[in-house]
Amino acid sequence: MMKLWKRASGALKDRKSLFSISFSRKTSFRNPDLDSAVIHATSHGDLSVDYHNAHRVYKWVRSSPANLKPLVHALSSRVNRTRSWIVAVKALMLVHGVLCCKVTSLQEIRRLPFDLSDFSDGHSRPSKTWGFNAFIRAYFSFLDQYAFFFSEQIRGRGKKTQNDSVEQELERIQKLQSLLHMLLQIRPMAENMKKTLILEAMDCVVLEIFDVYGRICSAIAKLLIKIQPGAEKAEAVMALKVIKKATSQGEDLALYFEFCKEFGVSNAHDIPKFVRIPEEDIEAIEKAINGVEEKEETKYEQEEVEEEKSIILVERPEFKTIITDKWEVFEDDLCFTCKDIKETDQHREYNVDPSLLPLIVIDEPVYFTHSLPDLITF
């Protein structure tokens, strides 16, 4: 009886919202037709997403940049007033789909036009809705950061060149790894969350994970080709940190997908094999780092020797200096120094076969062969 009352109450709220926008006029900030599509796509019905109206929203987004402001207004008005976990989840899925449109005008959004970081459902007891609340907060956090990352990518597309520094590429990989970490926080944790709507949202999350992780793997494979024996120590250290993080995240992904399969997420049943980067490749980078350190230390010692010689020759011009392989001996026997000069292997090689390194090992990458659900593809 309570469920029927909640459904009736939610349907009444949707009708009231639709009725109120029917009197609105179209302006640069308002589009009644777009408002209607957003309300239908984020209705209070908990059965499934209204894909037809979601497609209508995507069509407006792709058709003209002028529709972006009305969309932002419609979403913010709808979400900022709601205390329904159903409306919140649908709104996040709708925004996820909008970001997947990859339209240049979306760079103007930068951050989501609403805040669900402290969302709490107001229609049921916290003991029943805590799992939904946590799910929404995690999903919102990812999308908010993803919107900012996507905006930066578009803005920097004109500046990006094929000769981007290793440091710049490493920074991009680290940002992707941060996004992946946030994606892995999105999971249904309560027993009462096995609902169609949550499963649909998880399908979108899983496909996003395939895409982000695939981009990380591809970027690392290309990056390792650029790391040469003469690479800067800071770059080599940063690269090692990125690779170890990717290996750790590969292990986390395997556990995450096992959880998703048990929960019933359809897109998690056909997953790639996750393997570690070979230890010898990690050791190769470590040797490259140690090589840089040895080279710097040897250079420093050599400079120190030369500096001492110059100082002594200037301050003690009356002494004759005899130079041997390991010693500087002064005729008065009052002063001498011993320097054990380390030899650096100048022929150290660091060659990596990129075909051995991708962390996803499959015949055809899943994130290319899978078709996205209707909500986020066209």
Side-chain angles (χ1 to χ4, degrees):
M1 187 70 181
M2 182 64 69
K3 288 184 178 180
L4 290 174
W5 182 85
K6 286 182 179 179
R7 287 180 180 176
S9 176
L12 185 61
K13 289 179 181 179
D14 292 337
R15 289 182 181 179
K16 183 179 178 181
S17 298
L18 290 169
F19 180 76
S20 64
I21 65 171
S22 63
F23 296 98
S24 302
R25 292 188 303 173
K26 187 174 182 179
T27 66
S28 59
F29 290 92
R30 293 291 301 269
N31 182 337
D33 290 333
L34 182 56
D35 288 345
S36 175
V38 168
I39 292 171
H40 279 102
T42 60
S43 67
H44 287 77
D46 64 345
L47 296 180
S48 184
V49 173
D50 186 338
Y51 294 109
H52 171 71
N53 280 286
H55 277 290
R56 290 179 61 200
V57 173
Y58 304 146
K59 184 180 290 186
W60 265 301
V61 171
R62 295 194 307 272
S63 64
S64 171
N67 291 322
L68 186 60
K69 288 182 179 179
L71 174 63
V72 168
H73 179 272
L75 284 169
S76 59
S77 298
R78 180 68 168 170
V79 178
N80 287 330
R81 290 200 302 259
T82 191
R83 296 193 64 189
S84 166
W85 72 262
I86 297 171
V87 174
V89 169
K90 288 183 176 182
L92 292 171
M93 293 174 70
L94 185 65
V95 170
H96 198 170
V98 168
L99 293 175
C100 287
C101 291
K102 307 295 183 184
V103 178
T104 305
S105 60
L106 292 174
Q107 65 176 311
E108 298 177 13
I109 294 182
R110 294 184 70 80
R111 289 294 173 85
L112 298 194
F114 49 79
D115 185 6
L116 293 175
S117 58
D118 292 321
F119 177 82
S120 180
D121 185 271
H123 301 289
S124 299
R125 292 191 300 272
S127 59
K128 291 185 176 182
T129 59
W130 69 269
F132 298 100
N133 296 339
F135 184 88
I136 289 166
R137 293 172 188 176
Y139 201 179
F140 166 79
S141 295
F142 161 71
L143 288 175
D144 192 44
Q145 287 297 318
Y146 181 72
F148 183 73
F149 174 78
F150 179 64
S151 176
E152 279 191 328
Q153 290 292 99
I154 295 177
R155 291 172 185 269
R157 193 171 291 168
K159 302 177 183 178
K160 187 176 179 181
T161 66
Q162 292 183 348
N163 298 321
D164 280 355
S165 68
V166 172
E167 184 177 356
Q168 288 174 317
E169 294 187 21
L170 283 167
E171 288 175 354
R172 278 194 286 270
I173 295 173
Q174 287 182 322
K175 289 178 181 178
L176 287 170
Q177 288 179 326
S178 177
L179 288 175
L180 181 59
H181 173 75
M182 300 182 81
L183 276 166
L184 295 179
Q185 309 309 307
I186 307 172
R187 63 175 69 199
M189 294 182 288
E191 293 293 332
N192 63 337
M193 294 183 68
K194 193 169 285 189
K195 298 180 180 293
T196 301
L197 185 59
I198 297 298
L199 291 171
E200 289 176 339
M202 285 299 297
D203 275 333
C204 297
V205 171
V206 165
L207 288 172
E208 190 67 58
I209 288 174
F210 286 146
D211 180 65
V212 173
Y213 193 60
R215 290 163 68 184
I216 291 171
C217 297
S218 176
I220 289 177
K222 293 176 182 177
L223 178 69
L224 289 176
I225 301 174
K226 296 184 177 182
I227 298 180
Q228 302 297 329
E232 295 291 333
K233 177 184 175 182
E235 291 178 352
V237 170
M238 196 173 176
L240 182 62
K241 183 179 179 181
V242 163
I243 290 173
K244 287 186 174 181
K245 178 70 173 178
T247 303
S248 174
Q249 287 188 325
E251 296 171 355
D252 295 338
L253 281 171
L255 296 174
Y256 185 86
F257 282 116
E258 284 300 319
F259 166 81
C260 289
K261 283 197 293 185
E262 292 178 3
F263 191 79
V265 180
S266 60
N267 282 334
H269 286 280
D270 185 14
I271 62 174
K273 297 177 182 178
F274 297 97
V275 297
R276 295 182 179 181
I277 290 179
E279 288 294 330
E280 55 267 24
D281 295 323
I282 297 178
E283 290 173 1
I285 296 181
E286 290 174 341
K287 288 180 180 179
I289 294 171
N290 294 332
V292 172
E293 290 176 347
E294 290 175 5
K295 184 176 179 181
E296 289 178 349
E297 185 176 349
T298 303
K299 182 180 178 182
Y300 173 76
E301 290 179 356
Q302 290 174 343
E303 289 176 350
E304 191 178 46
V305 170
E306 294 298 328
E307 184 179 357
E308 288 179 359
K309 292 177 188 175
S310 63
I311 292 173
I312 291 170
L313 289 174
V314 171
E315 294 183 354
R316 308 285 296 275
E318 67 275 20
F319 296 136
K320 180 180 178 182
T321 306
I322 303 171
I323 308 232
T324 67
D325 290 337
K326 296 183 179 180
W327 296 83
E328 294 176 9
V329 183
F330 297 87
E331 285 184 338
D332 62 358
D333 282 333
L334 297 175
C335 174
F336 65 86
T337 58
C338 176
K339 293 294 179 182
D340 181 15
I341 306 300
K342 298 180 180 179
E343 294 183 359
T344 303
D345 182 5
Q346 300 296 336
H347 302 288
R348 185 188 305 274
E349 293 185 359
Y350 175 52
N351 297 318
V352 181
D353 181 359
S355 65
L356 300 176
L357 292 172
L359 307 179
I360 296 183
V361 181
I362 47 175
D363 294 333
E364 296 183 16
V366 173
Y367 47 91
F368 288 142
T369 58
H370 272 70
S371 59
L372 298 173
D374 290 342
L375 181 65
I376 59 177
T377 53
F378 321 101

